[in-house]
């Protein structure tokens, strides 16, 4: 008699599935950049951040002129870039963003966070490219269905990640256990 052993997690989820963690304000700001400009803006943010991490005491790396043409163009394309900088500790003073001396940017947190955001945006760009390719090969009914699915996805995304696991509910009186033998698996049907 052989037993069928199947390793399952709670509620039928495969073991190892984890509930998503909430995004930090910095991650939210970095993910709100426009798709077309995200990589370019993240490169600029990474360069600025790396300079501060490598030279924490140098004042020239701890201030950004919002009138600088490259920074002004990035802010015009994505105002949320300023939000991301503020979430890192930068403070706006008139036409400048200044990183106070008390704020220390850490490579493991800030630079790695920007690299993670670049990876996330790269995946988003690939997904968008696939959506565009699929959209070219569809009839009107399929396009309408895809639009509805995209709206549903955005609605779910706006709700945020699931921050709690499922809750067990009692289903009835006593155990309701079915074994393989109950349905005839592993039993001899006779024969020669």
């Amino acid at each position: 008699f052989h037993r069928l052993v199947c390793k399952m997690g709670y509620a039928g989820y495969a073991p190892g599935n984890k509930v998503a963690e909430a995004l930090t304000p910095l991650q939210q700001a970095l993910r709100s950049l426009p798709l077309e400009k995200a990589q370019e803006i993240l490169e600029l943010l990474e360069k600025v951040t790396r300079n501060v991490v490598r030279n924490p005491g140098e004042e020239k790396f701890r201030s950004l002129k919002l009138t600088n043409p490259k920074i002004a163009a990035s802010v015009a394309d994505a105002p949320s870039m300023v939000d991301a900088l503020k979430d890192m500790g930068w403070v706006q003073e008139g036409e400048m963003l200044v990183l106070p001396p008390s704020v220390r940017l850490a490579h493991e947190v800030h630079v790695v966070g920007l690299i993670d955001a670049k990876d996330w945006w790269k995946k988003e760009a690939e997904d968008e490219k696939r959506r565009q390719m699929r959209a070219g090969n569809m009839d009107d009914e399929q396009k309408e269905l895809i639009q509805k699915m995209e709206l549903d996805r955005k609605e779910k995304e706006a709700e945020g990640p699931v921050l709690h696991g499922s809750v067990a509910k009692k289903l009835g009186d006593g155990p309701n256990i079915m074994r393989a033998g109950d349905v005839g698996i592993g039993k001899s049907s006779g024969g020669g």
Side-chain angles (χ1 to χ4, degrees), residues 55-115:
N55 310 293
E58 284 201 47
E59 287 303 313
K60 72 178 184 179
F61 294 126
R62 298 182 76 85
S63 63
L64 298 172
K65 292 180 183 174
L66 293 174
T67 56
N68 173 307
K70 192 167 188 173
I71 293 174
S74 294
V75 170
D77 289 338
S80 59
M81 176 183 150
V82 174
D83 296 333
L85 287 164
K86 287 179 179 178
D87 287 332
M88 284 192 257
W90 294 78
V91 178
Q92 190 162 358
E93 294 179 1
E95 294 294 316
M96 306 244 332
L97 282 173
V98 178
L99 191 62
S102 60
V103 177
R104 295 279 182 231
L105 298 184
H107 179 86
E108 303 79 27
V109 176
H110 300 96
V111 176
V112 170
L114 290 164
I115 292 169

